[in-house]
Amino acid sequence: MTETSNRPDTTKKGTTLQGRRGVDVPPGQRGNTTVADSVVAKIAGMAAREIPEVHNLGGGMARAFGAMRERVPGGGSGVTRGVSVEVGERQAAVDLQVVIEYDASITDTAGDIRANVINEIERMTGLEVVEVNIAVNDVHLPGEEEPEDERRVT
């Protein structure tokens, strides 16, 4: 009587390596790539700002602290202000706080932001974006200027 085995056939090349290691794998597919949260946040911030109806990112306090942080050497450029991300091995989730121009359709603008952020993150990182949550914190009125921080020294 012959015995049957349920073990996988390991004589085929690549079945146990899953295309990630070994000399039979093309060099561009060997190893792992890790994308930092800050990279995904920058991509999301830039992609959201590409939408013409977006005036700014961040809530009132975030914009105020961001303006102060930009003045400090090494404090950052503010690209990620109003952006929060969670990044896993294969997926990412994004939360955005936006200020939209007056007279723009909020639902249409949110859809445009969502589509652009998803497309750019997935194109640049290969991560699957599972959600983009958008909080509209303010509407920028025509002729309304951003408040200038008062300087004590000129």
Side-chain angles (χ1 to χ4, degrees):
M1 190 155 124
T2 52
E3 291 183 24
T4 58
S5 172
N6 290 332
R7 286 188 280 167
D9 181 10
T10 57
T11 59
K12 295 181 191 173
K13 291 184 178 181
T15 55
T16 58
L17 300 177
Q18 300 174 349
R20 305 294 323 249
R21 296 184 182 150
V23 294
D24 295 337
V25 178
Q29 297 177 7
R30 295 181 197 167
N32 297 321
T33 302
T34 304
V35 180
D37 292 9
S38 61
V39 172
V40 176
K42 284 182 181 181
I43 294 168
M46 291 300 295
R49 284 179 171 84
E50 289 175 355
I51 305 303
E53 296 86 2
V54 173
H55 176 73
N56 209 340
L57 294 182
M61 290 301 289
R63 290 196 318 259
F65 284 123
M68 288 190 314
R69 191 177 335 124
E70 288 174 14
R71 289 185 179 172
V72 176
S77 65
V79 174
T80 60
R81 183 184 327 140
V83 181
S84 174
V85 299
E86 290 181 41
V87 180
E89 287 184 27
R90 293 184 204 108
Q91 296 179 325
V94 180
D95 294 322
L96 298 170
Q97 296 179 13
V98 299
V99 178
I100 294 181
E101 294 290 345
Y102 177 77
D103 206 26
S105 168
I106 292 175
T107 55
D108 291 345
T109 302
D112 292 345
I113 294 168
R114 194 170 281 116
N116 201 41
V117 167
I118 290 170
N119 289 336
E120 290 301 304
I121 291 173
E122 289 182 349
R123 180 183 67 82
M124 293 178 74
T125 68
L127 294 168
E128 175 192 3
V129 179
V130 294
E131 65 182 9
V132 175
N133 300 311
I134 299 171
V136 179
N137 288 338
D138 200 0
V139 174
H140 180 256
L141 300 174
E144 183 179 57
E145 294 296 322
E146 289 290 318
E148 292 280 334
D149 291 335
E150 293 183 24
R151 291 187 170 208
R152 292 176 55 177
V153 180
T154 57

